[in-house]
Amino acid sequence: SQQGEEDPQALSIQEGENATMNCSYKTSINNLQWYRQNSGRGLVHLILIRSNEREKHSGRLRVTLDTSKKSSSLLITASRAADTASYFCATDSIRGYGNKLVFGAGTILRVKS
Amino acid sequence: DGGITQSPKYLFRKEGQNVTLSCEQNLNHDAMYWYRQDPGQGLRLIYYSQIVNDFQKGDIAEGYSVSREKKESFPLTVTSAQKNPTAFYLCASGPPRRLGELFFGEGSRLTVL
């Protein structure tokens, strides 16, 4: 069962532009995380935002969380060619046997130089 | 250096054969996870373990088996009962109880000939 769904599925921008990716989920969560995956590699954790937080920053990354709409967004500012990757949101549900993350299908970001 | 090591990176299997994917971590994490990733899709949870000698089925456990005899190791066996085993397999580990950041290995790509 997939909890998070990213939008758009793919995004192509020029270097220096900002990239925004969205994630929607279905059930109440404890926290939401964003991960990055370079082609053929493992996932790397980017940022975690808790259900009682609304916004979080890390370098060029800005994440927002709207629990009333069950949605989150990831903004990458001043994008670079090296940001080209797939980006996934992941949530842990309050219900059920805990300690597992459910991932969305991801957004493929291509930054053209 | 601390991290998660998956092996082999590439594996070819004939139909009807069982294969075992290795996952070792030296991060002293209690929880370990196996995910499957298919092209254009997100990660789907196969099995997870929160402590030695205990593991739970994820969303797509059929045709797979695991063991957790040591804290550092969580091997995954893809059995001949798995109907469509060709995929990218990712192992991850994380802290117990309070779910936070997961650390991923570099993945194992299994191809059934």
Side-chain angles (χ1 to χ4, degrees):
Chain A
S1 59
Q2 288 199 316
Q3 161 84 305
E5 293 185 5
E6 286 91 342
D7 169 61
Q9 289 185 333
L11 181 60
S12 183
I13 59 174
Q14 290 293 134
E15 203 165 27
E17 294 180 339
N18 295 343
T20 299
M21 289 158 268
N22 303 297
C23 170
S24 60
Y25 57 91
K26 297 173 184 173
T27 63
S28 297
I29 60 172
N30 290 313
N31 67 62
L32 184 144
Q33 304 181 39
W34 285 91
Y35 288 81
R36 166 196 168 123
Q37 183 184 35
N38 286 3
S39 181
R41 305 291 296 276
L43 275 70
V44 175
H45 181 263
L46 295 176
I47 198 164
L48 180 153
I49 186 165
R50 303 201 183 282
S51 59
N52 61 354
E53 298 175 308
R54 291 297 168 257
E55 187 170 313
K56 205 161 182 181
H57 296 256
S58 177
R60 294 184 295 112
L61 306 181
R62 173 178 167 250
V63 169
T64 62
L65 179 64
D66 186 336
T67 53
S68 66
K69 295 181 180 178
K70 291 187 170 60
S71 68
S72 172
S73 68
L74 170 67
L75 168 68
I76 304 174
T77 60
S79 63
R80 305 165 182 168
D83 294 328
T84 295
S86 294
Y87 293 82
F88 297 89
C89 69
T91 56
D92 68 325
S93 176
I94 286 177
R95 297 179 191 160
Y97 194 63
N99 223 34
K100 57 178 182 176
L101 287 181
V102 179
F103 287 80
T107 292
I108 300 172
L109 173 64
R110 180 186 171 207
V111 181
K112 295 177 283 187
S113 56
Chain B
D1 288 352
I4 299 182
T5 302
Q6 288 187 239
S7 63
K9 188 163 180 63
Y10 298 96
L11 185 60
F12 298 89
R13 185 194 97 173
K14 294 181 180 179
E15 284 191 20
Q17 288 181 335
N18 292 355
V19 293
T20 298
L21 307 181
S22 170
C23 179
E24 302 278 332
Q25 55 102 356
N26 60 5
L27 300 168
N28 200 33
H29 287 158
D30 285 307
M32 296 187 74
Y33 308 81
W34 274 105
Y35 286 90
R36 169 182 171 139
Q37 186 177 31
D38 294 285
Q41 296 190 34
L43 280 65
R44 292 183 290 168
L45 183 64
I46 305 172
Y47 269 98
Y48 63 109
S49 167
Q50 294 195 40
I51 197 167
V52 175
N53 292 323
D54 185 51
F55 48 84
Q56 289 78 40
K57 292 181 179 179
D59 299 318
I60 56 165
E62 186 176 350
Y64 299 98
S65 66
V66 293
S67 63
R68 188 80 188 280
E69 298 175 0
K70 298 187 300 181
K71 187 175 184 178
E72 302 79 20
S73 179
F74 191 40
L76 173 74
T77 297
V78 184
T79 75
S80 56
Q82 168 51 233
K83 296 283 188 278
N84 185 19
T86 294
F88 190 52
Y89 292 89
L90 287 157
C91 179
S93 71
R97 305 300 175 203
R98 183 178 61 83
L99 183 58
E101 171 186 356
L102 290 189
F103 294 79
F104 282 83
E106 287 296 293
S108 292
R109 187 169 298 280
L110 172 63
T111 302
V112 174
L113 304 174

